[in-house]
Amino acid sequence: MIKILFLIPNLAHGGAEKVLVNLVNNIDKTKFDVTLQTLFDVGVNRQHLNKDVKYIGGSKHMFRGNTHVMKLFSSQRLYSHLIKEEYDIIISYLEGPTARIVSGCTNSKTKLVSWIHIEQHTAKIAADSFRSIKEAMECYSKFNKTICVSNTVKQDFQSIFNLEKPVEVLYNTNESDKIVNLADEVIDDLEFDKNVFNLISVAKIVPSKGYDRLMKIHKRLLEDGINNHVYILGIGEEQEKYEKYLKDNSLEKSFTFLGFRNNPYKYVKNADLYVCSSRREGFSTAVTEALIVGTPVVSTNCSGAYELLGNNCEYGIVTENDEDALYEGIKNMLTIPGVLKNYAYRAKERGEEFSTEKTVKAVEDMLNSLME
């Protein structure tokens, strides 16, 4: 049995945290002894871990500036302080702090994997959690393999770090059967208005998700006579500011923040359109889930969008990453006859490609290859 450790900062309500829980829950436990360790023992996804996954929680309190504090110590010292057992494979499941820690492993028998989820664009951004760009390069060079969640993330990473070790792409794990079943549950806390287009999006309410421009698009659609209601599932730091914009523009009744939901899938399935307004993504978990439940998607051209929706928009509409282009994409989806219905059919077809079985097997094959 191969003994594996996954290290991640926390299990909060982000996409990477969610797909990691999906992955470790579904890895074959007759072949892999799986431990998940966090730097900070916080986050809503902790409750979804199966009992057959060993869990090591870190500090109960996550504090601002923790990455800067960690830079005061060498990667070797951090590793020896935090990692107490020997493992065959240790995986840093996010770029940054955990990659720096895992690179401090001095056991030559242990295979190291770095998992990259987002485009970082510049060496300066990629090295933000390291003491310098030079240290970042040295740390990432120690990994036996780097995994990226999409081809665009891979291209971005390789443009920054010229590594001799392999860099591969593995798509995120979604619990597809569970998602489909949960999507059939009854919505009992709101009723979608059948006389308007119901748009939905699921993400943290932070600047990178672009909800500031989605609010403006919503207003423009109303002004063009396209009646629509936007629902946002998530929580985050920008909500109060966004709600002020809605109030100032008399949009509170047609743009609704629903907060966090344990089962977002039933809302997504019953909406007319899923919108990804993000300025940047890795490989959007929420878009993948929308495809699985058969909801048409319009997405900005952020990382992974074309891989999900097709190079020629076969399975959804991909727009340029700006407000005007996204507005046109949504407008076309809602107003051109037959387009919404066609993309609902194509979405479900595409969603079948991201089954739990396929994505987990790809990861297991990668792990086995490391031990050969």
Side-chain angles (χ1 to χ4, degrees):
M1 189 176 290
I2 300 174
K3 190 175 180 181
I4 304 170
L5 173 69
F6 289 87
L7 185 66
I8 193 168
N10 60 68
L11 289 178
H13 52 278
E17 294 82 359
K18 185 176 184 180
V19 295
L20 175 57
V21 170
N22 293 341
L23 174 60
V24 297
N25 281 348
N26 287 281
I27 285 179
D28 187 345
K29 303 307 187 303
T30 66
K31 298 176 181 176
F32 302 94
D33 179 348
V34 179
T35 300
L36 190 158
Q37 181 172 342
T38 58
L39 303 181
F40 300 96
D41 188 16
V42 297
V44 296
N45 279 300
R46 166 78 173 87
Q47 64 185 310
H48 301 302
L49 270 182
N50 287 353
K51 292 181 179 178
D52 60 2
V53 178
K54 297 172 187 173
Y55 176 74
I56 302 171
S59 170
K60 297 290 184 183
H61 303 285
M62 190 165 68
F63 57 93
R64 280 185 178 276
N66 61 78
T67 56
H68 296 294
V69 172
M70 283 188 272
K71 281 193 275 189
L72 297 174
F73 305 95
S74 69
S75 57
Q76 290 84 0
R77 187 168 177 183
L78 288 169
Y79 180 90
S80 63
H81 176 70
L82 293 167
I83 312 299
K84 299 302 184 184
E85 294 186 34
E86 296 292 334
Y87 297 92
D88 297 308
I89 302 172
I90 299 179
I91 299 169
S92 161
Y93 202 71
L94 271 179
E95 52 285 319
T98 55
R100 187 168 181 268
I101 293 165
V102 172
S103 72
C105 176
T106 56
N107 186 343
S108 60
K109 294 181 180 179
T110 301
K111 304 298 183 182
L112 306 181
V113 177
S114 173
W115 220 288
I116 308 296
H117 288 262
I118 61 170
E119 291 181 51
Q120 299 172 96
H121 301 301
T122 67
K124 183 179 178 181
I125 293 172
D128 186 56
S129 299
F130 300 85
R131 290 173 172 174
S132 63
I133 294 171
K134 181 174 181 289
E135 187 196 51
M137 182 65 186
E138 289 171 351
C139 287
Y140 281 119
S141 297
K142 293 178 182 177
F143 288 92
N144 298 88
K145 187 166 289 190
T146 298
I147 302 298
C148 296
V149 298
S150 71
N151 282 309
T152 45
V153 169
K154 176 183 175 180
Q155 291 162 10
D156 175 80
F157 183 81
Q158 289 184 313
S159 73
I160 300 169
F161 299 107
N162 183 23
L163 304 179
E164 295 180 4
K165 307 283 179 61
V167 180
E168 298 178 5
V169 173
L170 290 175
Y171 293 137
N172 290 334
T173 297
N174 296 277
E175 295 188 306
S176 50
D177 291 343
K178 183 178 178 181
I179 289 169
V180 169
N181 290 333
L182 287 170
D184 287 334
E185 287 188 0
V186 176
I187 298 173
D188 55 11
D189 59 346
L190 70 89
E191 188 173 339
F192 286 123
D193 185 347
K194 301 297 183 183
N195 298 312
V196 305
F197 292 110
N198 293 289
L199 283 57
I200 199 161
S201 190
V202 183
K204 293 178 185 176
I205 305 171
V206 293
S208 64
K209 300 303 179 181
Y211 290 146
D212 53 330
R213 54 188 181 183
L214 183 56
M215 291 188 298
K216 294 173 185 175
I217 289 168
H218 166 64
K219 184 171 183 286
R220 290 171 66 179
L221 290 169
L222 292 176
E223 290 169 348
D224 283 350
I226 303 168
N227 292 328
N228 70 100
H229 193 130
V230 177
Y231 296 91
I232 305 295
L233 285 165
I235 57 176
E237 63 201 41
E238 297 294 300
Q239 183 169 335
E240 187 176 338
K241 184 170 78 174
Y242 292 168
E243 286 177 336
K244 183 181 185 304
Y245 173 88
L246 297 175
K247 186 176 181 180
D248 291 346
N249 290 274
S250 302
L251 298 171
E252 314 104 293
K253 293 182 179 179
S254 58
F255 197 110
T256 306
F257 290 100
L258 291 173
F260 176 79
R261 292 289 192 276
N262 279 322
N263 178 7
Y265 316 115
K266 60 183 178 181
Y267 302 92
V268 175
K269 182 180 180 181
N270 286 281
D272 298 300
L273 178 66
Y274 186 90
V275 179
C276 173
S277 55
S278 295
R279 292 180 169 87
R280 61 185 180 89
E281 283 283 346
F283 191 79
S284 176
T285 301
V287 168
T288 310
E289 292 167 347
L291 295 173
I292 289 169
V293 302
T295 300
V297 176
V298 174
S299 174
T300 53
N301 182 16
C302 47
S303 178
Y306 280 111
E307 285 172 76
L308 280 162
L309 302 176
N311 289 328
N312 298 303
C313 298
E314 299 95 325
Y315 304 104
I317 292 177
V318 181
T319 75
E320 289 303 312
N321 203 328
D322 62 65
E323 182 187 320
D324 288 339
L326 182 58
Y327 163 77
E328 291 295 336
I330 294 172
K331 183 180 178 181
N332 290 340
M333 182 73 90
L334 299 180
T335 59
I336 299 175
V339 171
L340 200 63
K341 185 177 180 181
N342 175 61
Y343 274 122
Y345 171 78
R346 300 306 300 274
K348 200 146 197 175
E349 181 183 15
R350 181 59 170 159
E352 292 173 0
E353 293 298 312
F354 301 101
S355 69
T356 309
E357 184 179 359
K358 287 183 179 180
T359 54
V360 173
K361 185 180 185 302
V363 173
E364 290 178 344
D365 289 346
M366 181 274 293
L367 295 172
N368 282 319
S369 70
L370 279 172
M371 302 306 296
E372 291 175 352

